[in-house]
Amino acid sequence: MIPAPFEYYRAKTVEEALELIKKFGDEAKVLAGGQSLIPMLKLRFARYSKIIDIGRLQELKYIRQDGDIVRIGGLTTHREVEKSQLVKDKVPVLSLCASEIADVQVRNMGTIAGSLSHADPSADYPPTMLALGATLVAKGAKGSREIPADNFFVGTFTTALEPDELLVEVKVPVMKNNERAYYMKIGHPATGFAIVNCAVKLSLNNGRIDSARVALGGFVTVPYRDSKVEEFLTGKEANLDTIKKASELVGEGQDIIGDYYADADYRRSLAKALFVRVVRTALGV
């Protein structure tokens, strides 16, 4: 299909983009890689009278280390995250996660900030950002602010970003020697979107789990950290018995999605099984 008519603006700087966003308000939508927005426009699921293209802003394309943080510019593509040697060395699970997104063509165009701002509950990045304890940097008319990943995803396709803000950077802690992390999803065979996905980061000490961050998505309306599972794992021996017992708590108290493809009970069963697989892989047990 053909999108509804709109006016197109190409911002040359972040400041110009913010000015346009402030000027047009709800009439406008920001275009980064376009891998989510363009299909929605063509199908007319979304209609905006103004499109603000920020895709050519080189100032938002970078991956660099700053102490114990890896800083990723908002317009860095999934493929760049996937292939970055720095990411592979310092936060390998993020490289793995990026490699699971769609196909190479999409990864060459789609951007990390575009995906996170879109906040699809079946997307790959959200559980990984939650598990890693990432911080997202927003910039608006009032300046910059940092939003912990734990507070960023507030609803289906809804984030903590204000209407006049752009997501300009993602800050991810470097993995420590005693930490293990992994990401995996069970994807829909036609679309690749997650029916359920899971990311974990575990801190180990003498064969025990010192701390755990367990995040899941796909089978719920908002990706989340499973605090009940995290609490159960903390202080336990890092073995298969612990993992299997913890899996029984996965999804407890959550509003689980059910549809024609997979009902809620089936999705929760998948989430439990996937959690076991992810943690076993992370720990090598």
Side-chain angles (χ1 to χ4, degrees), residues 21-39:
I21 292 169
K22 183 178 179 180
K23 177 180 178 181
F24 295 127
D26 292 341
E27 296 179 63
K29 188 68 174 178
V30 173
L31 173 68
Q35 300 306 290
S36 297
L37 179 59
I38 289 176

Side-chain angles (χ1 to χ4, degrees), residues 8 66 85 94 131 157 168 270 280:
Y8 172 83
D66 184 3
Q85 193 60 51
L94 184 54
F157 301 107
V168 296
L270 285 178
R280 288 191 69 180

Side-chain angles (χ1 to χ4, degrees), residues 99-150:
S99 75
E100 290 291 315
I101 297 172
D103 51 36
V104 173
Q105 291 93 329
V106 169
R107 295 199 294 276
N108 275 329
M109 292 295 295
T111 65
I112 190 167
S115 177
L116 290 168
S117 299
H118 188 54
D120 189 316
S122 297
D124 293 274
Y125 281 134
T128 304
M129 295 300 169
L130 289 167
L132 290 172
T135 300
L136 294 89
V137 182
K139 189 171 184 179
K142 297 178 182 178
S144 298
R145 66 184 179 111
E146 297 189 348
I147 309 169
D150 286 354

Side-chain angles (χ1 to χ4, degrees), residues 23-277:
K23 177 180 178 181
F24 295 127
D26 292 341
E27 296 179 63
K29 188 68 174 178
V30 173
L31 173 68
Q35 300 306 290
S36 297
L37 179 59
I38 289 176
M40 291 178 69
L41 291 173
K42 293 181 74 172
L43 293 170
R44 302 204 179 194
F45 290 156
R47 297 188 184 203
Y48 297 94
S49 61
K50 312 286 191 299
I51 297 296
I52 303 167
D53 185 354
I54 65 169
R56 293 171 176 81
L57 300 184
Q58 293 301 313
E59 60 190 293
L60 296 183
K61 292 176 179 283
Y62 57 84
I63 302 174
R64 55 176 177 257
Q65 186 172 354
D66 184 3
D68 59 356
I69 297 292
V70 174
R71 303 176 65 167
I72 304 172
L75 292 181
T76 304
T77 66
H78 310 317
R79 187 67 167 170
E80 289 166 337
V81 174
E82 174 190 358
K83 291 298 184 180
S84 166
Q85 193 60 51
L86 177 62
V87 175
K88 289 180 180 180
D89 291 342
K90 302 300 181 180
V91 200
V93 67
L94 184 54
S95 173
L96 168 64
C97 175
S99 75
E100 290 291 315
I101 297 172
D103 51 36
V104 173
Q105 291 93 329
V106 169
R107 295 199 294 276
N108 275 329
M109 292 295 295
T111 65
I112 190 167
S115 177
L116 290 168
S117 299
H118 188 54
D120 189 316
S122 297
D124 293 274
Y125 281 134
T128 304
M129 295 300 169
L130 289 167
L132 290 172
T135 300
L136 294 89
V137 182
K139 189 171 184 179
K142 297 178 182 178
S144 298
R145 66 184 179 111
E146 297 189 348
I147 309 169
D150 286 354
N151 301 331
F152 187 76
F153 306 102
V154 299
T156 304
F157 301 107
T158 308
T159 72
L161 289 172
E162 296 294 337
D164 65 345
E165 287 182 324
L166 286 175
L167 178 57
V168 296
E169 186 178 66
V170 179
K171 298 167 70 173
V172 184
V174 170
M175 294 284 295
K176 298 176 182 177
N177 291 334
N178 68 324
E179 291 179 335
R180 304 291 182 269
Y182 205 71
Y183 169 78
M184 197 178 294
K185 72 176 175 181
I186 297 174
H188 191 291
T191 66
F193 281 107
I195 301 168
V196 57
N197 55 1
C198 177
V200 302
K201 183 170 80 170
L202 307 168
S203 177
L204 304 177
N205 185 9
N206 294 323
R208 289 186 174 272
I209 300 171
D210 240 3
S211 64
R213 295 179 69 97
V214 177
L216 296 113
F219 76 127
V220 287
T221 55
V222 184
Y224 76 105
R225 281 181 58 195
D226 203 317
S227 58
K228 293 180 180 179
V229 175
E230 292 176 350
E231 289 168 8
F232 180 87
L233 289 172
T234 303
K236 301 290 196 311
E237 290 188 15
N239 58 34
L240 183 56
D241 184 58
T242 295
I243 299 168
K244 287 183 175 179
K245 288 178 179 177
S247 72
E248 293 303 312
L249 300 173
V250 169
E252 196 171 278
Q254 295 294 316
D255 182 15
I256 298 174
I257 297 170
D259 57 27
Y260 70 93
Y261 185 76
D263 64 24
D265 289 340
Y266 179 59
R267 274 188 154 93
R268 189 178 181 207
S269 296
L270 285 178
K272 291 179 179 181
L274 183 65
F275 166 80
V276 172
R277 194 182 304 173

